[in-house]
Amino acid sequence: MAFRGASADAVAALTGELEAGASSPEVAAQVADDLFGAATTLRGEAALRRFATDASIPAQAKSGLVGEVFGGKVHQVTGAILASAVGRRWVAGRDLADALEHLGVVAYVKAAGSETDRLADELFAFAQAVKDNPELRDALADPARSAADKRTLISSLLDGKALAATVALAGQSISGSHRTVAVALTEYQRVVADVQAQGVATVRVARPLPDSELDRLASVLSAQYGRPVHLNLLVDPSVLGGIRVEIGDDVIDGTVASRLDDARRRLVG
């Protein structure tokens, strides 16, 4: 999610409060669920959302209402974050709910602890499964199916095979705040990388690479971009040998097909 101006400043400050308050993976997971629930409530209650984001209303009055609505239902860390959030300025009314969802994702990254790389890999793998399976993609996009039904489907696919944080974020991806499940999962992968101060590179190859070559590629890209780079590996027969790396807006194309295209252009030119 792209936040601007005062909303970006608010998200940065709230992220710091979350990181200070989420003292354990268990607390982080509880706070994440609370924040997702609060975001859903704000999106569904227009009057509450307008009140909570109205800059003309004193922060004390807004935090008092938040206490009435959520008090006793959320972890104390969540309550403090919500009270702080409604006291801040937001560029647009929807930014508060979007920020709470974003913070929920950050909290689940914290809940993953030392397994954040695995979380990133599992989110990428599930995103590819949705992309490659039209039946699954259609089932998760079907407006006639309830969110609870879709979450049950996701749980049946991932429970026991993926981290609890992966299952939770995959379930959150159908909440409706993002255009599609694929868009949501891509955003969540970006948040995982940002929390770890990493870049993300999608590597397309004709066949799987040995770990030694992946480690060497990650090392080269990390040195080139000045920060650690997490690799998402895609085996794509259309690559025709070689390797294609996409990182941000940059594309490094060393595939056979690319070299053949270059040769054709030189001959024609």
Side-chain angles (χ1 to χ4, degrees), residues 57-237:
I57 298 174
Q60 186 174 1
K62 291 191 284 188
S63 62
L65 179 61
V66 164
E68 291 179 15
V69 174
F70 298 104
K73 302 175 184 176
V74 298
H75 193 281
Q76 61 182 7
V77 172
T78 311
I81 290 172
L82 293 175
S84 177
V86 298
R88 299 183 181 278
R89 295 184 65 86
W90 300 94
V91 173
R94 65 165 291 167
D95 283 359
L96 174 57
D98 287 350
L100 295 180
E101 180 178 355
H102 170 82
L103 291 168
V105 180
V106 173
Y108 258 122
V109 177
K110 295 296 182 183
S114 61
E115 295 192 282
T116 47
D117 281 343
R118 179 182 169 188
L119 174 60
D121 288 338
E122 289 179 351
L123 288 172
F124 179 73
F126 184 63
Q128 289 303 122
V130 173
K131 178 181 177 182
D132 295 340
N133 189 322
E135 291 184 2
L136 175 59
R137 186 171 64 248
D138 291 345
L140 295 178
D142 187 352
R145 301 184 70 161
S146 68
D149 184 33
K150 294 175 184 177
R151 288 193 178 94
T152 297
L153 172 59
I154 289 171
S155 294
S156 72
L157 295 171
L158 297 180
D159 276 348
K161 303 172 185 175
L163 294 171
T166 305
V167 179
L169 290 176
Q172 180 64 21
S173 71
I174 53 89
S175 67
S177 56
H178 292 279
R179 190 174 70 257
T180 65
V181 168
V183 170
L185 293 171
T186 297
E187 169 65 13
Y188 298 164
Q189 292 171 64
R190 186 191 64 76
V191 174
V192 174
D194 285 349
V195 171
Q196 296 182 279
Q198 288 185 333
V200 178
T202 299
V203 180
R204 297 177 185 274
V205 292
R207 58 182 182 276
L209 296 177
D211 289 344
S212 59
E213 290 189 27
L214 288 173
D215 290 343
R216 186 160 55 249
L217 176 60
S219 178
V220 169
L221 291 173
S222 297
Q224 181 174 343
Y225 287 90
R227 59 175 176 167
V229 174
H230 182 86
L231 304 183
N232 289 328
L233 186 67
L234 276 178
V235 177
D236 182 357

Side-chain angles (χ1 to χ4, degrees), residues 253 255-267:
D253 196 340
T255 63
V256 171
S258 175
R259 292 195 291 270
L260 289 173
D261 286 341
D262 288 342
R264 291 191 192 98
R265 281 195 293 270
R266 286 195 295 270
L267 288 171

